[in-house]
Amino acid sequence: MFRLVASLLLCAAATAAQPSLGPPSLGCLRDEQNRLRPVLGVAANFMVGEPWQAGVVAAACSGRFALVKLSGALLLLDESGLPLARWDAPAGPALFAFAAGGDPSLVWFPRAAALYRWRGGLIEPVAVQADALGPDVTAIAPAAGDRMMAIMSGPDGLWLRSISLATGQVEWEERVHPRAAPALLRPDGTLLLLDNAELVVRGGDSAERRIPLPFPASALEPLGEEWVAVGRVLALRLRDQGAEIYRLPEVGP
């Protein structure tokens, strides 16, 4: 079984001696050249900053932290892009999940079939049954009661699955969409998925609402604490009665 080996890189407290002046940080995103960039500013007035990291295979940002998968390493960055920790990691992509407060929670390496979680400031492996998770997992999130949720995508649509982190067993599952589609699980349990030019929002009570998008999109990525990147082109913030949707600035080469 693959093992993560941690090596501390930098202490955030030591680098924060002088407060920096500038636009507020909303989060981060991965550009078309696989570079991780900060997203700065306020709603309707965004800026995309200089790259924090190149050669990014996968990344996710909670607003407080960023998790970055490189070819052979996993990085934890603070909200300014400064490295806090580094772990060896298997080849291939990764899926990330954050807790409701923005702390890192889970990481899934599909090629290695390895699940890890953060607990008590440490990262530890989680043993799951072979058929509980697989390469068809497209999104993960922590859940109450020492559980996790996973979205499985296949020819018969999208399935939401509850998995016990104590036993590694699937507790229940249900189909949530008749077709395979890009999906994202928020820390509060909200499921987002793309259906052509609409964003489907499914709450914990299974009630759905549809939000029109300016155009069809093909990807959903966590942008920050409140924000989701839609196709790396739009920034979306959910509201009780709808959503705020803004265009992200174009990123040059």
Side-chain angles (χ1 to χ4, degrees), residues 172-221:
W172 55 263
E173 65 179 359
E174 63 173 312
R175 192 169 75 154
V176 294
H177 196 64
R179 298 181 302 278
L184 182 67
L185 285 168
R186 301 284 285 165
D188 63 359
T190 303
L191 166 64
L192 310 179
L193 64 91
L194 294 172
D195 189 3
N196 295 319
E198 288 185 316
L199 177 73
V200 180
V201 182
R202 188 178 189 270
D205 57 359
S206 299
E208 290 188 359
R209 54 186 170 124
R210 290 179 173 264
I211 298 170
L213 300 174
F215 45 77
S218 59
L220 291 170
E221 296 183 13

Side-chain angles (χ1 to χ4, degrees), residues 1 6 25 28 44 50 55 62 77 84 134 168 173 204 216 233 237 239:
M1 177 180 292
S25 174
C28 58
E50 292 299 313
S62 71
L77 310 180
L84 299 175
E173 65 179 359
V233 177
R237 179 164 60 181
R239 292 306 193 197

Side-chain angles (χ1 to χ4, degrees), residues 60-167:
C61 187
S62 71
R64 294 183 58 217
F65 298 100
L67 288 168
V68 184
K69 174 64 173 62
L70 305 179
S71 60
L74 173 65
L75 305 182
L76 175 65
L77 310 180
D78 70 7
E79 62 183 359
S80 300
L82 297 175
L84 299 175
R86 178 190 180 100
W87 299 271
D88 293 335
L95 290 176
F96 303 114
F98 293 95
D103 291 336
S105 178
L106 298 165
V107 56
W108 166 247
F109 300 108
R111 287 190 187 175
L115 177 69
Y116 291 81
R117 69 172 169 177
W118 280 262
R119 187 162 62 171
L122 301 175
I123 188 170
E124 62 182 23
V126 180
V128 293
Q129 289 189 341
D131 59 350
L133 293 171
D136 54 350
V137 176
T138 60
I140 58 174
D146 202 26
R147 296 178 298 121
M148 67 174 288
M149 308 302 293
I151 290 291
M152 321 293 288
S153 179
D156 56 349
L158 291 183
W159 290 77
L160 179 64
R161 177 175 290 180
S162 173
I163 301 168
S164 169
L165 294 176
T167 66

